[in-house]
Amino acid sequence: MLAGIEQSAEGIVTCLDETRHGLEDGQLVTFNEIQGMTELNGCEPRRVKVLGPYTFSIGDTSSLSAYVRGGLFQQVKEPSRVAFASFRDALQAPEFLFSDFAKFDRPAQLHVGFQALHAFSAAHDGKLPRPGNDEDAAEVLRLANEINDKCEQKAELDAELLKKLSYQATGDLSPMVAVFGGLVAQEVLKACTGKFMPINNFMYFDALECLPIGFEPSEADLAPIGSRYDGQIAVFGRKFQEQIANYREFLVGSGAIGCEMLKNWAMMGIASGPKGVIHITDMDTIEKSNLNRQFLFRSSDVGKLKSETAAAAVVKMNPDIDGKIVTHQDRVGNDTESVYNDAFFMALDGVTNALDNVEARQYMDRRCMFYRKPLLESGTLGTKGNTQVVVPYLTETYSASRDPPEASIPMCTLKNFPNAIEHTIQWARDLFAGLFTQPAENVNAYLSTPNYVQTALEQSNESSKIETLTSIRDCLVTDKPLAFDDCIAWARRRFEELYNNTIRQLLFNFPKDTITSSGQPFWSPPKRAPDAIVFDPSNDIHVDFVVAAANLYAFNFGLKGSRDRDYIKAAAAAATVPEFAPKSGVKIQVNENENNNAEADVESGELDELIASMPDPSSFAGVRLSPADFEKDDDSNFHIDFVTAASNLRATNYGITVADRSRTKKIAGKIIPAIATTTSLVTGLVCLELYKVIGAGSGDNTRKIDDYKNGFVNLALPFFAFSEPIAPLKQKFAGRDVSDWDSVDIEKDITLQEFIDYFANEFKLEVSMISSGVTLLYSPMLAKKKAEARKAMKMSEVVVEVSKKEIPEHVKWITLVVCCYDEDDEDVDAPEVRIRVRD
């Protein structure tokens, strides 16, 4: 949003300081909704020169009208025409897209190496070098040197690198196929659509660090054995294939990433051995909207459990894992720790997340840290993707680095001063719950809960009590429909209330010419002055609102709805709408930090009168309403129809450009863009890290942190970056370096006094405070008598005594946070303390 435009040779544009403009020099912008300098509205795109985070220049505006107020700028994407060298010329003078700057010299060598492989194949009737064969490898090296000598840009060849290229030439790894499959598919889409920037010439990608440390395979170990895994054996050998087959992994989530992950694991042969197992959990069922990117599911699977359906699909792909997949439908969290307990985690080799929310990711991170299990993490957003590998003691945990919280919309903006379509969509989404979900739930609770009114009176403020009880009375008495026509009339009255009466009241409080105490117009950006809407039966958006609202209200009461627009239009036009006049004394919150005392709007005695007017629940025996639980993927339920109409009407009130149904659905349903190409590539990268984790977990304990790779990709740019994970932050404790991975483990349930003595004798530290979760167990402020009583109790007894909760049967260890200080009275940060309370 704009704050001002100079009428000058430079034409300096100033944006509101709420959001940086994010432009770069040379980009194009156009404008709309400007008052005053109207020549810029819908103008030909103007090229910008960035002057600061909130200012930019658009060139001469001196001949234009003077700027008054308001306006928006929008960046205009400028097409680029890209030309490429021919394949013949590019071979001689290649351009490279670098994927890993730690391997800056690799692309040039692999460019020569792959040409050498083609030359070898041409000389041997289409055959590639044999796995582990030194004679073939020597020929590949010779061919590479000959090709390199003829190149305009000569590379410095590494004989060992080319030897590995020859050894692996017949290899076929599912993760690498997934990486290049996603990459190439996106390049095809770019060629078809002209959207996003294509790769210029060549991209070479290798993951040689996946090979076991000190790997010196024999030709016999790499030779094919007639199995479906021969392509993998040609790279890693038979011994490593056995380790893969006997791996025990937990996959959390079987959505887009989960499906791809499971497919890759089936192709790799994960859990195909006698000791191997894959656990999958996902509580969701398959929805129609999942089918465009969750490729293990088909139309006939809609409504089925994701975990069970995904498992059955991959067993068909690889019967070797039949009976090796255990499916769960329990959400991971504190309430399911009896399911995913000590025995469950201790039987695992590792965990892979395929989750769509940060909270669950952080929970699994804590569990992996507790049980010291490696964790593979990933995520996608459109063409963007990232991967992270978490290895006990070697890397930081997932939760050690956090993204900034998402910006929330201030409540006063939502309720009274929207300035963007996102605000009106969120308002409409909240309105849906306030009209069709919460009132029905309140009614059901009122009719089924003894002394419900008394419970409602315990709510925080008078306004909340009145709102709850009013919604119940209206549903059961005032606005109870007997037929669908009553629902239409109700919807028409809601239209008048929301889009006419409320706006008139707002403008009564703050007329359009209101001046603030600072002398500025009240209706200055980002505020938009609204206009009330008069219901018009010929306006499609007006009718859309009434159709959707009437049908949803009918659903609440179990009445049959209708899609006959002409009938509904006529009934709405004929409905009686109460007269409205704005009132004085109505308070409207203007600022988020303003203490808007809702009690002020409540007249004396209003609550008592409302309670007296409540109907007797016994007169509604057997009556229950049907709350409408918001579901974005059912096009027949009127949910998105209502939100779209409600949002666009409010946008019309405030002069905001309306949004179509598709965009409304994306925002209201909080749909995260996901495409199969990115999912494929990211999953492939995760599985390459899994090779390393499997090797490390099978006795290969010499891996260093730089053997692992965290990945960051954007297929649109295109951009690839790989970096080594961050090492865990360490601190000194008892003369040694410790991190979040370390803990003080006490193998038996000791008394509080023994615990204090243990720290004094073992670490020369005095305990000052002990807590378990949110429960404070011991501190210097504790009364002497109470402290002495607790010191004689076992630690488990202290936890039960103070928290007033029994320790669940499945819990074998209690975890404590301890504050202590040393002999110099210096505070010392102690690692987490774990005490075994059960065998």
Side-chain angles (χ1 to χ4, degrees):
M1 298 185 73
L2 306 182
I5 306 175
E6 282 188 6
Q7 196 176 18
S8 65
E10 280 193 272
I12 297 175
V13 179
T14 304
C15 300
L16 292 179
D17 59 5
E18 292 183 338
T19 308
R20 293 168 177 254
H21 57 63
L23 295 170
E24 296 178 4
D25 281 342
Q27 291 181 334
L28 298 173
V29 296
T30 188
F31 302 88
N32 56 59
E33 299 185 23
I34 293 174
Q35 297 178 38
M37 199 176 285
T38 55
E39 296 91 337
L40 290 178
N41 288 333
C43 68
E44 287 296 314
R46 289 197 169 213
R47 206 166 293 281
V48 308
K49 178 183 178 183
V50 174
L51 304 177
Y54 304 102
T55 57
F56 58 89
S57 168
I58 58 171
D60 192 2
T61 57
S62 57
S63 62
L64 306 182
S65 308
Y67 174 84
V68 177
R69 70 163 66 92
L72 305 168
F73 86 82
Q74 184 175 14
Q75 184 187 351
V76 178
K77 295 287 187 177
E78 187 175 20
S80 298
R81 191 163 189 85
V82 184
F84 298 95
S86 69
F87 184 55
R88 185 186 303 277
D89 292 341
L91 279 174
Q92 291 300 311
E95 292 280 344
F96 298 121
L97 174 64
F98 291 95
S99 61
D100 188 346
F101 285 94
K103 304 174 181 178
F104 193 78
D105 60 333
R106 293 274 178 87
Q109 296 186 70
L110 293 174
H111 183 68
V112 173
F114 274 98
Q115 291 181 70
L117 286 182
H118 284 288
F120 181 97
S121 176
H124 292 81
D125 298 325
K127 294 180 180 178
L128 289 168
R130 290 163 288 180
N133 186 279
D134 290 332
E135 181 182 340
D136 289 354
E139 185 174 348
V140 169
L141 178 59
R142 176 181 60 77
L143 291 168
N145 283 318
E146 291 175 0
I147 293 168
N148 193 43
D149 289 340
K150 298 175 184 176
C151 287
E152 296 176 10
Q153 301 175 4
K154 291 182 173 55
E156 188 174 333
L157 300 181
D158 179 353
E160 190 61 31
L161 175 66
L162 294 172
K163 177 182 177 182
K164 290 177 179 176
L165 181 64
S166 176
Y167 275 18
Q168 299 174 21
T170 61
D172 187 11
L173 302 182
S174 181
M176 196 64 86
V177 170
V179 169
F180 276 97
L183 179 66
V184 172
Q186 191 66 54
E187 292 301 306
V188 171
L189 290 174
K190 292 176 185 179
C192 294
T193 64
K195 189 173 179 67
F196 305 140
M197 188 62 66
I199 292 174
N200 187 9
N201 283 181
F202 297 98
M203 175 186 165
Y204 291 94
F205 171 75
D206 77 84
L208 286 173
E209 65 278 359
C210 292
L211 295 174
I213 299 296
F215 185 55
E216 294 292 340
S218 66
E219 188 172 354
D221 190 39
L222 300 180
I225 58 174
S227 82
R228 66 181 300 149
Y229 313 113
D230 280 349
Q232 196 163 250
I233 290 172
V235 177
F236 291 105
R238 277 179 283 180
K239 182 180 177 183
F240 192 77
Q241 184 60 45
E242 291 175 7
Q243 295 170 1
I244 291 172
N246 289 299
Y247 205 66
R248 298 163 298 182
E249 187 78 353
F250 182 25
L251 178 62
V252 188
S254 55
I257 289 177
C259 280
E260 285 293 307
M261 199 74 68
L262 204 53
K263 178 199 72 177
N264 279 337
W265 289 0
M267 298 300 97
M268 293 162 64
I270 297 282
S272 59
K275 297 179 181 177
V277 66
I278 295 173
H279 290 272
I280 316 170
T281 188
D282 198 312
M283 63 178 293
D284 287 344
T285 55
I286 299 162
E287 298 175 357
K288 185 178 179 180
S289 62
N290 300 149
L291 302 180
N292 72 331
R293 65 194 181 280
Q294 299 177 18
F295 293 145
L296 295 183
F297 308 141
R298 299 292 180 264
S299 298
S300 59
D301 297 323
V302 171
K304 297 179 182 177
L305 288 165
K306 285 186 175 181
S307 57
E308 293 181 356
T309 307
V314 295
V315 166
K316 290 180 180 178
M317 295 179 181
N318 184 359
D320 292 352
I321 58 175
D322 190 11
K324 300 300 181 68
I325 302 179
V326 181
T327 60
H328 306 264
Q329 293 80 45
D330 303 290
R331 183 198 302 272
V332 291
N334 294 323
D335 54 341
T336 57
E337 288 183 2
S338 59
V339 178
Y340 309 117
N341 53 23
D342 288 3
F344 176 84
F345 273 95
M346 294 310 293
L348 296 175
D349 292 318
V351 176
T352 300
N353 278 347
L355 292 162
D356 60 1
N357 68 90
V358 173
E359 183 182 354
R361 286 180 166 113
Q362 291 175 341
Y363 173 80
M364 286 308 302
D365 181 59
R366 292 193 298 272
R367 298 300 277 170
C368 288
M369 184 172 69
F370 185 88
Y371 293 106
R372 289 151 186 147
K373 300 295 180 182
L375 171 67
L376 297 173
E377 176 59 64
S378 60
T380 69
L381 180 65
T383 60
K384 301 173 185 176
N386 76 284
T387 64
Q388 181 179 356
V389 57
V390 177
V391 180
Y393 300 104
L394 194 62
T395 74
E396 70 173 9
T397 63
Y398 170 81
S399 303
S401 301
R402 297 191 183 184
D403 293 331
E406 290 185 14
S408 59
I409 305 171
M411 188 55 65
C412 61
T413 300
L414 280 180
K415 292 181 70 174
N416 301 305
F417 307 110
N419 58 63
I421 194 65
E422 289 80 5
H423 301 162
T424 67
I425 291 173
Q426 182 61 54
W427 175 87
R429 177 67 183 82
D430 294 342
L431 179 66
F432 178 94
L435 291 179
F436 308 115
T437 308
Q438 196 60 53
E441 291 176 349
N442 291 341
V443 167
N444 291 342
Y446 175 73
L447 297 178
S448 61
T449 306
N451 302 317
Y452 176 84
V453 172
Q454 188 62 39
T455 304
L457 292 178
E458 296 173 2
Q459 293 188 27
S460 58
N461 60 55
E462 204 87 347
S463 180
S464 296
K465 300 169 189 174
I466 288 178
E467 186 179 338
T468 299
L469 296 179
T470 300
S471 71
I472 296 170
R473 186 198 61 188
D474 288 349
C475 286
L476 294 178
V477 181
T478 313
D479 291 326
K480 182 182 179 183
L482 300 177
F484 185 62
D485 279 13
D486 297 331
C487 297
I488 299 173
W490 176 89
R492 172 67 183 88
R493 293 194 296 273
R494 295 292 79 73
F495 180 100
E496 197 73 13
E497 174 190 320
L498 294 165
Y499 305 110
N500 186 288
N501 301 354
T502 302
I503 301 300
R504 288 167 61 192
Q505 181 67 58
L506 179 62
L507 290 174
F508 179 82
N509 282 38
F510 305 106
K512 291 188 178 183
D513 57 358
T514 301
I515 302 297
T516 66
S517 57
S518 63
Q520 297 295 316
F522 176 83
W523 294 103
S524 295
K527 292 187 180 72
R528 292 168 174 264
D531 292 298
I533 296 175
V534 177
F535 181 75
D536 180 2
S538 65
N539 187 304
D540 284 342
I541 299 180
H542 296 199
V543 178
D544 287 345
F545 175 87
V546 175
V547 170
N551 276 279
L552 286 166
Y553 203 57
F555 171 82
N556 285 154
F557 288 87
L559 298 174
K560 184 178 179 181
S562 171
R563 293 180 177 273
D564 187 339
R565 290 178 67 88
D566 291 335
Y567 178 82
I568 294 172
K569 186 189 302 185
T576 302
V577 178
E579 289 292 327
F580 173 80
K583 299 178 184 177
S584 298
V586 176
K587 291 188 175 294
I588 294 176
Q589 186 178 2
V590 176
N591 299 311
E592 185 69 6
N593 55 1
E594 184 179 281
N595 183 19
N596 184 39
N597 188 359
E599 309 287 350
D601 290 337
V602 179
E603 296 180 6
S604 176
E606 183 178 349
L607 181 59
D608 292 335
E609 291 179 12
L610 179 59
I611 293 173
S613 69
M614 296 295 289
D616 183 0
S618 62
S619 63
F620 294 91
V623 173
R624 291 293 183 272
L625 302 193
S626 301
D629 295 323
F630 184 71
E631 171 52 63
K632 67 183 185 299
D633 292 318
D634 183 352
D635 291 337
S636 65
N637 62 11
F638 294 101
H639 294 194
I640 292 296
D641 297 315
F642 174 82
V643 173
T644 302
S647 167
N648 285 340
L649 285 168
R650 188 163 175 83
T652 303
N653 278 139
Y654 285 87
I656 298 168
T657 304
V658 300
D660 61 20
R661 192 178 191 278
S662 177
R663 187 180 179 199
T664 302
K665 178 178 178 178
K666 176 184 173 183
I667 297 172
K670 297 181 179 178
I671 298 172
I672 297 173
I675 54 177
T677 51
T678 315
T679 303
S680 174
L681 186 143
V682 163
T683 307
L685 294 176
V686 170
C687 291
L688 290 174
E689 296 305 307
L690 181 58
Y691 283 134
K692 304 172 190 177
V693 171
I694 292 173
S698 304
D700 178 9
N701 295 315
T702 56
R703 282 206 180 275
K704 299 176 182 177
I705 194 168
D706 55 6
D707 290 328
Y708 297 95
K709 300 287 182 182
N710 288 346
F712 309 89
V713 303
N714 188 338
L715 289 174
L717 296 177
F719 171 80
F720 295 83
F722 295 93
S723 65
E724 67 182 51
I726 299 172
L729 183 65
K730 294 189 176 182
Q731 60 191 28
K732 288 289 184 182
F733 177 76
R736 61 191 179 96
D737 290 331
V738 297
S739 71
D740 289 342
W741 292 104
D742 294 285
S743 63
V744 175
D745 295 346
I746 300 174
E747 289 290 337
K748 64 176 184 176
D749 194 6
I750 58 178
T751 65
L752 175 56
Q753 183 62 60
E754 289 172 333
F755 183 90
I756 295 170
D757 293 342
Y758 176 80
F759 262 72
N761 298 330
E762 189 73 19
F763 307 121
K764 303 294 186 285
L765 296 172
E766 185 165 344
V767 173
S768 59
M769 195 175 297
I770 307 171
S771 61
S772 174
V774 296
T775 305
L776 183 63
L777 305 179
Y778 174 78
S779 78
M781 297 174 287
L782 205 60
K784 185 176 180 181
K785 185 176 180 181
K786 189 175 287 187
E788 291 303 318
R790 289 185 187 176
K791 286 180 180 179
M793 298 167 65
K794 299 280 190 182
M795 291 303 298
S796 61
E797 295 170 346
V798 176
V799 171
V800 172
E801 171 79 15
V802 180
S803 69
K804 309 299 182 188
K805 295 178 181 178
E806 292 293 327
I807 298 173
E809 285 295 321
H810 65 272
V811 174
K812 295 183 179 180
W813 297 81
I814 56 173
T815 58
L816 308 174
V817 175
V818 179
C819 298
C820 46
Y821 54 89
D822 60 19
E823 296 166 337
D824 299 323
D825 283 343
E826 294 289 335
D827 289 334
V828 175
D829 290 326
E832 180 181 77
V833 179
R834 304 175 184 179
I835 299 178
R836 183 186 285 275
V837 295
R838 290 189 181 93
D839 293 328

